[in-house]
Amino acid sequence: MTLSGTVPDGDSPYNRFGVSVADEVKLPRLGQGMESGTIVKWLKAEGDQVEKGEPLYELDTDKVTQEVEAEASGVLLKITVAEGEADVGTTIAVIGEQGEDVSSVADETAQRVAETEQEEGAPGAEREPERERGREATASEQTTEIREPAAKPPVRASGPVERVRGNREVPPGSEERHAGNGAGARIKASPLARRIARERGIELGSLKGTGPEGRVVAEDVERAAGTPAQATPTAPAAAPGEIERIPLTTVRRTIARRLTEAWQAPAFQIAMSADMSRAQHLHARLGEQTKEGQARPTVTDILTKACAAALMRHRAVNALWADDAIEQHPSANVGIAVAIEAGLVVPVIHQAERLTIAELAAARADIVTRARDNKLRQDDLDGGTFTISNLGMFGVEQFVAVLNPPQAAILAVGAIEPKAVPIESGFESRPLMTLTLTCDHRSLDGATAAVFLRTVKAFLEEPGLML
């Protein structure tokens, strides 16, 4: 809460000190380690009535884009950060009573944003690694405004909200703003564009931006880097088959960072094949009992139940590596790897050991649907203690999954394939599924992992043991 405004005459909806009270909307910390986020768009405009709990804006973090709800009711008096990246705790808007004066709050926020932007654009290469680590996961094409040191700090004006990803047509007048970038002229560029320009020695002032409001984006710098100085607009088009450079999205940047962390861990793999005859019979029976409108159980749901039950028997596997300790968790929070257009996400089914297979099917269907519709919440992705990655539906017989740090293990599941199994009278065809467990050797030893995987195999071959 913040105090603003002037002392009113007579009785009015102000506090007992006679000063109007407005609520500052601050950028929330949605997950552990989150330092900043990118405002994608506002769902309300200045002057709109807002109710507590109503979706207010879309926020892009390193894991997910989600709607953030208003924490107070009133009128959206001012949007101080219309779009782009902001640090956690930054005041991005103000909600209060109609007619309240919140100019002091807006000016203070604008000044802080301007100072931050000037700091990002000023010389200081020695600070770049430190700043980059702080917002590595969310630094994909966020837009900022920069002035030369002699210019007045910019104040972000309110108005139509633009998406921070993707290029659009240059708004009218942008050419005039970019023409003649002399001393004190404004240069609008994304952080990624500035970084590439520094690395390649390209002068940003010589480029014509194609981003929102004429901002210079990474593609503009890449285009300039690959174009000879004597090239003109009438140069022939690029030949078919030319290499296309695709800037990393926020999700892909996060995947790259986490996979790099995973390869630094000393990992080992073990594999077993499970006879899925009885699990397939259970799957068929569950399908027959599924009512219309309910999620139909899949083999993945049966596998999730088996893993959750096994994790409760072998707590050492249901663990996280914490540098100076190993955290063993009391509940099996099982993550399911889901492929989406933007990359790979791992939403979590919490306390999976307490759910029936039918309940697991409903939970799995819900998180997978929301993942593919880009509607996951931050808490859908947090708290996982074990991960399952299933590529069996693609016909993959066996593969090795990369660890999902800081989890101790991840299970890679292949397709169910008919294979000859030796019996007393000869050979018999059985539906076998290969399970490959990747383990962090800092948290787990081979024998512990083997006993756990043997338990999962037993539960799949005799499902009654886990029910």
Side-chain angles (χ1 to χ4, degrees):
M1 304 287 283
T2 182
L3 301 180
S4 62
T6 57
V7 178
D9 296 326
D11 296 332
S12 62
Y14 291 76
N15 69 5
R16 60 189 180 91
F17 297 106
V19 182
S20 64
V21 179
D23 287 281
E24 295 183 16
V25 180
K26 295 184 179 294
L27 194 81
R29 187 185 303 276
L30 299 180
Q32 184 178 7
M34 176 179 169
E35 299 296 335
S36 63
T38 301
I39 298 174
V40 178
K41 71 175 180 179
W42 286 87
L43 305 178
K44 294 287 185 178
E46 290 185 2
D48 287 354
Q49 182 68 34
V50 177
E51 299 298 331
K52 183 176 181 180
E54 187 177 14
L56 186 59
Y57 61 95
E58 288 186 1
L59 181 65
D60 191 13
T61 69
D62 63 336
K63 294 181 179 178
V64 68
T65 299
Q66 72 175 74
E67 294 180 349
V68 179
E69 299 177 351
E71 296 184 354
S73 298
V75 176
L76 183 57
L77 300 174
K78 185 68 177 177
I79 296 175
T80 58
V81 182
E83 50 84 27
E85 184 184 16
D87 292 335
V88 169
T90 299
T91 299
I92 58 176
V94 183
I95 296 176
E97 297 290 337
Q98 185 69 48
E100 281 191 66
D101 180 13
V102 294
S103 57
S104 60
V105 178
D107 292 344
E108 181 181 353
T109 301
Q111 180 67 26
R112 288 199 299 267
V113 172
E115 291 173 354
T116 300
E117 291 172 347
Q118 280 192 330
E119 179 181 327
E120 290 178 355
E126 68 277 2
R127 296 197 57 194
E128 188 62 21
E130 177 183 352
R131 296 182 60 81
E132 192 62 24
R133 286 194 299 269
R135 59 179 196 268
E136 172 181 48
T138 55
S140 176
E141 293 302 304
Q142 298 95 337
T143 54
T144 51
E145 296 179 359
I146 308 170
R147 290 181 184 266
E148 299 297 332
K152 181 180 179 181
V155 178
R156 193 183 299 276
S158 62
V161 180
E162 304 154 347
R163 287 190 178 274
V164 294
R165 289 189 294 267
N167 297 336
R168 294 186 178 181
E169 292 183 355
V170 179
S174 61
E175 292 186 14
E176 290 77 9
R177 289 196 295 271
H178 277 268
N181 282 334
R186 177 168 59 184
I187 303 174
K188 294 183 178 181
S190 70
L192 182 58
R194 293 199 306 275
R195 184 161 60 252
I196 296 175
R198 283 197 302 271
E199 294 172 353
R200 305 197 178 190
I202 297 174
E203 177 60 45
L204 286 176
S206 64
L207 304 181
K208 179 179 179 180
T210 61
E213 296 185 0
R215 289 179 176 87
V216 178
V217 296
E219 293 179 0
D220 300 325
V221 183
E222 293 290 352
R223 190 179 302 113
T227 303
Q230 67 273 17
T232 65
T234 58
E242 184 178 354
I243 296 175
E244 179 183 6
R245 183 180 176 88
I246 303 174
L248 295 180
T249 63
T250 301
V251 173
R252 179 54 59 184
R253 191 180 296 274
T254 301
I255 291 172
R257 173 174 55 82
R258 290 184 59 80
L259 289 182
T260 301
E261 293 174 1
W263 280 110
Q264 295 174 353
F268 68 92
Q269 293 82 30
I270 58 174
M272 294 184 184
S273 293
D275 185 342
M276 298 294 289
S277 300
R278 296 190 177 182
Q280 285 185 323
H281 179 69
L282 173 62
H283 175 235
R285 291 290 302 274
L286 290 171
E288 294 172 357
Q289 298 174 4
T290 302
K291 298 179 181 179
E292 185 176 356
Q294 294 180 336
R296 186 180 181 87
T298 65
V299 173
T300 297
D301 302 322
I302 297 174
L303 181 64
T304 302
K305 181 63 177 179
C307 289
L311 289 169
M312 291 298 93
R313 290 197 181 187
H314 307 282
R315 293 275 304 280
V317 183
N318 195 46
L320 306 180
W321 174 256
D323 291 330
D324 58 349
I326 298 173
E327 299 176 352
Q328 294 186 359
H329 287 245
S331 294
N333 301 327
V334 181
I336 307 295
V338 179
I340 61 176
E341 184 176 354
L344 184 71
V345 293
V346 186
V348 178
I349 299 177
H350 293 86
Q351 297 183 327
E353 79 281 0
R354 300 187 178 185
L355 304 179
T356 65
I357 295 177
E359 291 170 336
L360 288 170
R364 183 262 313 154
D366 173 58
I367 59 174
V368 169
T369 299
R370 288 193 289 113
R372 290 172 178 164
D373 292 341
N374 199 28
K375 293 183 179 179
L376 287 175
R377 301 181 298 270
Q378 188 70 34
D379 54 5
D380 292 323
L381 301 166
D382 291 340
T385 58
F386 184 82
T387 298
I388 297 174
S389 180
N390 189 350
L391 293 180
M393 66 285 293
F394 297 104
V396 176
E397 296 182 7
Q398 182 179 2
F399 70 103
V400 174
V402 180
L403 279 172
N404 186 15
Q407 296 175 15
I410 181 173
L411 184 65
V413 183
I416 300 176
E417 297 284 342
K419 295 183 179 180
V421 176
I423 58 175
E424 292 183 359
S425 58
F427 290 90
E428 183 175 278
S429 177
R430 298 280 182 86
L432 300 185
M433 183 173 71
T434 301
L435 309 170
T436 305
L437 187 69
T438 300
C439 306
D440 186 340
H441 217 326
R442 297 172 300 180
S443 302
L444 287 178
D445 293 327
T448 304
V451 173
F452 166 78
L453 191 57
R454 186 176 63 187
T455 301
V456 173
K457 169 184 166 74
F459 286 164
L460 292 174
E461 292 183 340
E462 187 54 71
L465 297 175
M466 66 178 176
L467 300 178

